[in-house]
Amino acid sequence: MESHLIDPFGRKVNYLRVSVTDRCDFRCVYCMAEDMTFLPKSEVLSLEEMERVCSTFVDLGVKKLRLTGGEPLVRRNIMWLFTKLSRHLESGDLEELTVTTNGSQLSKYAKELAEVGVRRINVSLDTLDEKKFGGITRWGRLRQVLDGLEAAKKANLKIKINVVALRGINDEEIHDLVAWCGGEGFDLTFIEVMPMGEIGDLRLDQYLPLSMVRAKLNEKWTLEDINYSTGGPARYVKVKETNGKIGFITPMTHNFCESCNRVRLTCTGQLYLCLGQEDSADLRSAVRADKNNAKLIATINEAIGRKPKGHDFIIDRRRGQSSVPRHMSVTGG
Ligand code: SAM
Ligand code: SF4
């Protein structure tokens, strides 16, 4: 179905990201405070409600669904939602069903994900050093993620590794990550740390502009600009020596909003029209208002009609504060 969802700037909205839970089994330093308070379960959409909202978006022309979080694979019974949504892949209404995960549960779920039609997954992994991994994720174990990646490879899932560039933490490891991803056949995306949510740490200490990452890469690798896009904000290059792709997501140094095709649903049913703006629509009330989705469709249409032109992330250099009060785990990365 052609997208019915066109925003005021003529951009077609055909990509929905859904944060299925705000909870996580890790506590990454740039994402969460160690003592996070999570939402009471009563505020979170049931899986049945999420399925209704996602399917309504597909009816309205959404072609790509990504489940994220928090850690999507720690939500109880999550495979029920994947299985239900996979019918849209079979009908051809949906082109892609995918997931962003920290990889901790992939040993358990990789095979099932592949069986319901998931083809590509994003796995977040910022370092290959066990000690640093423990430092960044606070609660994670590197071995668990590496085993999960093995399981995903075995299940023939195509894997992209997401690396948040962190000053003084993984900047010395950039070449190793490129070589490792090349050897494993994984694509790689570097992400700039974004000022989202209070995390009890100074953002300015973590921020490493990707222009510096790229300059460093140029010292060792031959990077060829390519005309490749996954419909997202990443700009890609090919590494001649490994034949692997590297993407750069630079929300802080680059305005990447012109081609934005996405909206985001939180686990409480708030529809955010932009990752970096506060404006949202309450789809939880809408989905609970009636059984025939009329209110839900009207609310979605009205919201798309006020999708903003772009965001304005600033890491306040004097105060070191975040410019968006929501944590990434609420809106979904
Ligand atoms: N738990 C899953 C994971 O880690 O992949 C999915 C959710 S996580 C919020 C999605 C992505 O957002 C991850 O790649 C993570 O590294 C990234 N992320 C989290 N907080 C961020 C921040 N403040 N700035 C930039 N990226 C962030
Ligand atoms: Fe959890 Fe992902 Fe946030 Fe890390 S980045 S704390 S794994 S939600």
Side-chain angles (χ1 to χ4, degrees):
M1 184 192 287
E2 250 316 282
S3 182
H4 295 176
L5 301 174
I6 312 270
D7 81 0
F9 304 94
R11 294 171 299 189
K12 207 183 264 181
V13 176
N14 53 17
Y15 180 7
L16 175 68
R17 291 186 168 221
V18 183
S19 176
V20 297
T21 176
D22 63 331
R23 289 163 199 253
C24 187
D25 51 347
F26 291 180
R27 290 288 181 282
C28 300
V29 290
Y30 47 76
C31 181
M32 294 190 182
E34 189 156 18
D35 57 343
M36 286 286 284
T37 318
F38 293 108
L39 293 160
K41 287 198 172 135
S42 56
E43 285 186 25
V44 173
L45 291 186
S46 68
L47 289 178
E48 288 77 6
E49 288 167 337
M50 283 186 182
E51 195 275 326
R52 257 180 77 199
V53 175
C54 291
S55 295
T56 302
F57 269 99
V58 173
D59 288 345
L60 292 171
V62 158
K63 296 286 179 206
K64 180 167 169 180
L65 279 176
R66 178 179 297 278
L67 304 194
T68 175
E71 175 44 42
L73 300 182
V74 301
R75 172 117 194 210
R76 226 170 123 222
N77 219 4
I78 190 64
M79 284 314 299
W80 178 89
L81 182 59
F82 277 102
T83 307
K84 274 280 185 189
L85 293 174
S86 71
R87 73 179 188 282
H88 301 301
L89 291 171
E90 281 155 29
S91 72
D93 289 339
L94 187 64
E95 286 167 8
E96 186 167 33
L97 176 60
T98 184
V99 61
T100 299
T101 172
N102 64 23
S104 69
Q105 309 299 313
L106 277 176
S107 296
K108 185 171 167 194
Y109 288 124
K111 189 161 168 275
E112 280 179 75
L113 288 169
E115 279 166 4
V116 298
V118 173
R119 295 285 162 258
R120 302 189 304 157
I121 60 173
N122 288 0
V123 180
S124 305
L125 178 58
D126 304 323
T127 175
L128 295 168
D129 177 307
E130 208 172 324
K131 215 163 151 215
K132 279 189 186 169
F133 186 85
I136 294 171
T137 63
R138 292 194 183 105
W139 294 5
R141 281 185 307 112
L142 179 63
R143 186 71 260 160
Q144 198 180 352
V145 176
L146 295 178
D147 288 348
L149 285 167
E150 263 320 298
K153 265 170 82 172
K154 228 191 218 157
N156 280 327
L157 292 170
K158 195 150 170 26
I159 296 162
K160 183 160 74 75
I161 302 291
N162 281 348
V163 174
V164 176
L166 299 164
R167 191 163 73 172
I169 301 179
N170 61 6
D171 38 3
E172 292 306 319
E173 246 192 290
I174 284 166
H175 297 313
D176 293 345
L177 285 161
V178 172
W180 176 73
C181 284
E184 295 285 335
F186 303 154
D187 287 338
L188 167 61
T189 297
F190 288 106
I191 306 173
E192 274 174 357
V193 76
M194 290 177 247
M196 300 192 66
E198 280 313 312
I199 51 168
D201 252 33
L202 260 190
R203 295 273 178 202
L204 276 173
D205 288 348
Q206 302 174 347
Y207 177 57
L208 172 67
L210 291 194
S211 50
M212 285 173 71
V213 173
R214 195 163 169 164
K216 196 165 187 152
L217 288 174
N218 275 325
E219 291 169 10
K220 175 154 180 179
W221 309 93
T222 319
L223 306 182
E224 298 169 340
D225 280 315
I226 49 171
N227 211 354
Y228 172 81
S229 164
T230 54
R235 284 155 202 239
Y236 284 90
V237 296
K238 196 161 133 186
V239 186
K240 198 168 167 206
E241 291 81 357
T242 68
N243 221 14
K245 285 195 273 300
I246 302 184
F248 299 92
I249 301 186
T250 56
M252 301 300 295
T253 49
H254 228 276
N255 194 318
F256 65 174
C257 307
E258 312 89 53
S259 57
C260 182
N261 62 347
R262 64 201 53 199
V263 287
R264 296 174 151 87
L265 185 71
T266 70
C267 59
T268 58
Q270 301 308 303
L271 183 71
Y272 280 93
L273 306 159
C274 170
L275 184 61
Q277 302 271 4
E278 278 305 282
D279 194 19
S280 66
D282 179 12
L283 301 192
R284 183 175 63 188
S285 308
V287 81
R288 290 178 181 171
D290 61 30
K291 288 257 177 299
N292 67 14
N293 293 348
K295 177 96 193 319
L296 181 59
I297 292 170
T299 311
I300 292 172
N301 279 325
E302 184 275 326
I304 299 295
R306 56 186 162 84
K307 182 168 160 63
K309 193 166 181 194
H311 66 65
D312 186 22
F313 282 131
I314 300 166
I315 292 180
D316 189 314
R317 299 207 165 259
R318 277 157 303 145
R319 291 178 297 159
Q321 283 180 349
S322 59
S323 62
V324 177
R326 270 172 288 132
H327 285 94
M328 190 72 124
S329 52
V330 172
T331 332

